[in-house]
Short mmCIF file of all heavy atoms in Angstrom, two decimals:
data_model
loop_
_atom_site.label_atom_id
_atom_site.label_comp_id
_atom_site.label_asym_id
_atom_site.label_seq_id
_atom_site.Cartn_x
_atom_site.Cartn_y
_atom_site.Cartn_z
N GLN X 98 -12.42 1.12 -1.42
CA GLN X 98 -12.50 2.06 -2.56
C GLN X 98 -12.43 1.27 -3.86
O GLN X 98 -11.61 0.35 -3.97
CB GLN X 98 -11.29 3.02 -2.57
CG GLN X 98 -11.09 3.83 -1.33
CD GLN X 98 -11.96 5.06 -1.28
OE1 GLN X 98 -12.50 5.49 -2.30
NE2 GLN X 98 -12.11 5.62 -0.10
N GLN X 100 -12.03 2.31 -8.01
CA GLN X 100 -11.85 3.43 -8.94
C GLN X 100 -11.98 2.89 -10.36
O GLN X 100 -11.32 1.92 -10.72
CB GLN X 100 -10.45 4.02 -8.70
CG GLN X 100 -10.20 5.32 -9.39
CD GLN X 100 -8.91 5.98 -8.93
OE1 GLN X 100 -8.24 5.49 -8.04
NE2 GLN X 100 -8.57 7.10 -9.55
N SER X 109 -11.44 7.38 -14.17
CA SER X 109 -10.90 7.81 -12.90
C SER X 109 -11.98 8.23 -11.91
O SER X 109 -11.69 8.78 -10.87
CB SER X 109 -9.89 8.93 -13.15
OG SER X 109 -9.04 9.08 -12.06
N ALA X 110 -13.25 7.97 -12.25
CA ALA X 110 -14.30 8.15 -11.25
C ALA X 110 -14.03 7.17 -10.11
O ALA X 110 -13.43 6.13 -10.31
CB ALA X 110 -15.66 7.87 -11.85
N ALA X 111 -14.45 7.50 -8.92
CA ALA X 111 -14.15 6.65 -7.78
C ALA X 111 -15.34 6.54 -6.86
O ALA X 111 -16.20 7.41 -6.82
CB ALA X 111 -12.97 7.20 -7.01
N ALA X 112 -15.40 5.44 -6.15
CA ALA X 112 -16.46 5.26 -5.16
C ALA X 112 -15.88 4.62 -3.93
O ALA X 112 -14.98 3.78 -4.02
CB ALA X 112 -17.57 4.39 -5.75
N GLY X 113 -16.37 5.01 -2.77
CA GLY X 113 -15.86 4.43 -1.53
C GLY X 113 -16.93 4.37 -0.47
O GLY X 113 -18.03 4.89 -0.65
N VAL Z 32 -3.39 13.82 -8.78
CA VAL Z 32 -4.13 12.76 -8.11
C VAL Z 32 -5.38 13.36 -7.47
O VAL Z 32 -5.27 14.19 -6.56
CB VAL Z 32 -3.27 12.05 -7.05
CG1 VAL Z 32 -4.07 10.96 -6.35
CG2 VAL Z 32 -2.02 11.47 -7.69
N ASP Z 33 -6.54 12.95 -7.95
CA ASP Z 33 -7.82 13.46 -7.46
C ASP Z 33 -8.29 12.76 -6.21
O ASP Z 33 -7.99 11.59 -6.01
CB ASP Z 33 -8.89 13.17 -8.52
CG ASP Z 33 -9.09 14.35 -9.43
OD1 ASP Z 33 -8.18 15.18 -9.52
OD2 ASP Z 33 -10.16 14.40 -10.06
N ARG Z 34 -9.04 13.51 -5.40
CA ARG Z 34 -9.76 12.84 -4.32
C ARG Z 34 -11.06 13.60 -4.04
O ARG Z 34 -11.14 14.80 -4.24
CB ARG Z 34 -8.93 12.77 -3.04
CG ARG Z 34 -8.61 14.10 -2.47
CD ARG Z 34 -7.62 14.00 -1.34
NE ARG Z 34 -6.89 15.24 -1.26
CZ ARG Z 34 -7.35 16.33 -0.66
NH1 ARG Z 34 -8.52 16.32 -0.08
NH2 ARG Z 34 -6.63 17.45 -0.66
N PRO Z 35 -12.08 12.87 -3.59
CA PRO Z 35 -13.35 13.50 -3.25
C PRO Z 35 -13.17 14.41 -2.05
O PRO Z 35 -12.36 14.10 -1.15
CB PRO Z 35 -14.27 12.33 -2.89
CG PRO Z 35 -13.37 11.18 -2.63
CD PRO Z 35 -12.08 11.42 -3.33
N VAL Z 36 -13.87 15.54 -2.01
CA VAL Z 36 -13.90 16.38 -0.82
C VAL Z 36 -15.00 15.84 0.10
O VAL Z 36 -16.14 15.71 -0.34
CB VAL Z 36 -14.18 17.85 -1.19
CG1 VAL Z 36 -14.16 18.72 0.05
CG2 VAL Z 36 -13.18 18.33 -2.22
N PRO Z 37 -14.65 15.50 1.36
CA PRO Z 37 -15.65 14.89 2.24
C PRO Z 37 -16.88 15.79 2.41
O PRO Z 37 -16.75 17.01 2.55
CB PRO Z 37 -14.92 14.75 3.59
CG PRO Z 37 -13.49 15.07 3.34
CD PRO Z 37 -13.37 15.72 2.01
N ASN Z 38 -18.05 15.19 2.37
CA ASN Z 38 -19.32 15.91 2.57
C ASN Z 38 -19.58 16.98 1.52
O ASN Z 38 -20.33 17.91 1.77
CB ASN Z 38 -19.38 16.57 3.95
CG ASN Z 38 -18.99 15.61 5.05
OD1 ASN Z 38 -19.32 14.44 4.98
ND2 ASN Z 38 -18.27 16.09 6.04
N GLN Z 39 -18.91 16.87 0.35
CA GLN Z 39 -19.25 17.83 -0.70
C GLN Z 39 -19.39 17.10 -2.01
O GLN Z 39 -18.54 17.17 -2.89
CB GLN Z 39 -18.19 18.94 -0.79
CG GLN Z 39 -18.69 20.25 -0.19
CD GLN Z 39 -17.54 21.19 0.03
OE1 GLN Z 39 -16.69 20.99 0.88
NE2 GLN Z 39 -17.51 22.22 -0.79
N GLN Z 40 -20.45 16.39 -2.10
CA GLN Z 40 -20.93 15.57 -3.20
C GLN Z 40 -20.42 16.05 -4.57
O GLN Z 40 -20.79 17.12 -5.04
CB GLN Z 40 -22.47 15.60 -3.09
CG GLN Z 40 -23.26 15.23 -4.30
CD GLN Z 40 -23.15 13.72 -4.55
OE1 GLN Z 40 -22.60 12.96 -3.76
NE2 GLN Z 40 -23.64 13.30 -5.69
N GLY Z 41 -19.60 15.24 -5.20
CA GLY Z 41 -19.18 15.57 -6.57
C GLY Z 41 -17.94 16.46 -6.64
O GLY Z 41 -17.24 16.47 -7.64
N GLU Z 42 -17.67 17.22 -5.58
CA GLU Z 42 -16.47 18.06 -5.54
C GLU Z 42 -15.21 17.19 -5.47
O GLU Z 42 -15.21 16.17 -4.81
CB GLU Z 42 -16.48 18.97 -4.30
CG GLU Z 42 -17.50 20.07 -4.36
CD GLU Z 42 -17.21 21.04 -5.50
OE1 GLU Z 42 -16.23 21.80 -5.40
OE2 GLU Z 42 -17.97 21.01 -6.50
N ARG Z 43 -14.16 17.65 -6.14
CA ARG Z 43 -12.89 16.93 -6.05
C ARG Z 43 -11.73 17.90 -5.84
O ARG Z 43 -11.74 19.01 -6.34
CB ARG Z 43 -12.65 16.11 -7.33
CG ARG Z 43 -13.81 15.13 -7.59
CD ARG Z 43 -13.56 14.21 -8.75
NE ARG Z 43 -12.56 13.20 -8.44
CZ ARG Z 43 -12.79 12.15 -7.65
NH1 ARG Z 43 -13.95 11.98 -7.07
NH2 ARG Z 43 -11.84 11.27 -7.43
N GLU Z 44 -10.73 17.47 -5.10
CA GLU Z 44 -9.50 18.24 -4.99
C GLU Z 44 -8.35 17.43 -5.57
O GLU Z 44 -8.45 16.23 -5.71
CB GLU Z 44 -9.22 18.62 -3.53
CG GLU Z 44 -10.01 19.85 -3.13
CD GLU Z 44 -9.84 20.22 -1.66
OE1 GLU Z 44 -9.05 19.54 -0.97
OE2 GLU Z 44 -10.51 21.17 -1.21
N THR Z 45 -7.28 18.12 -5.89
CA THR Z 45 -6.19 17.47 -6.59
C THR Z 45 -4.87 17.71 -5.86
O THR Z 45 -4.57 18.83 -5.48
CB THR Z 45 -6.07 18.03 -8.02
OG1 THR Z 45 -7.33 17.87 -8.67
CG2 THR Z 45 -5.00 17.32 -8.82
N MET J 1 -6.59 6.85 -6.37
CA MET J 1 -5.88 6.09 -5.35
C MET J 1 -4.67 6.88 -4.87
O MET J 1 -3.91 7.41 -5.67
CB MET J 1 -5.42 4.73 -5.92
CG MET J 1 -4.81 3.81 -4.87
SD MET J 1 -4.12 2.29 -5.57
CE MET J 1 -5.59 1.47 -6.19
N ARG J 75 -2.83 9.24 3.36
CA ARG J 75 -2.60 9.68 1.98
C ARG J 75 -1.60 10.81 1.97
O ARG J 75 -1.48 11.57 2.95
CB ARG J 75 -3.91 10.09 1.32
CG ARG J 75 -4.56 11.29 1.94
CD ARG J 75 -5.85 11.69 1.21
NE ARG J 75 -6.52 12.72 2.00
CZ ARG J 75 -6.20 14.01 1.95
NH1 ARG J 75 -5.25 14.44 1.15
NH2 ARG J 75 -6.82 14.88 2.73
#
Side-chain angles (χ1 to χ4, degrees):
Chain X
Q98 303 277 344
Q100 191 170 356
S109 199
Chain Z
V32 180
D33 265 22
R34 64 188 153 81
V36 182
N38 311 323
Q39 255 166 290
Q40 161 71 7
E42 289 296 289
R43 303 186 72 74
E44 278 176 3
T45 304
Chain J
M1 187 186 294
R75 65 178 171 82

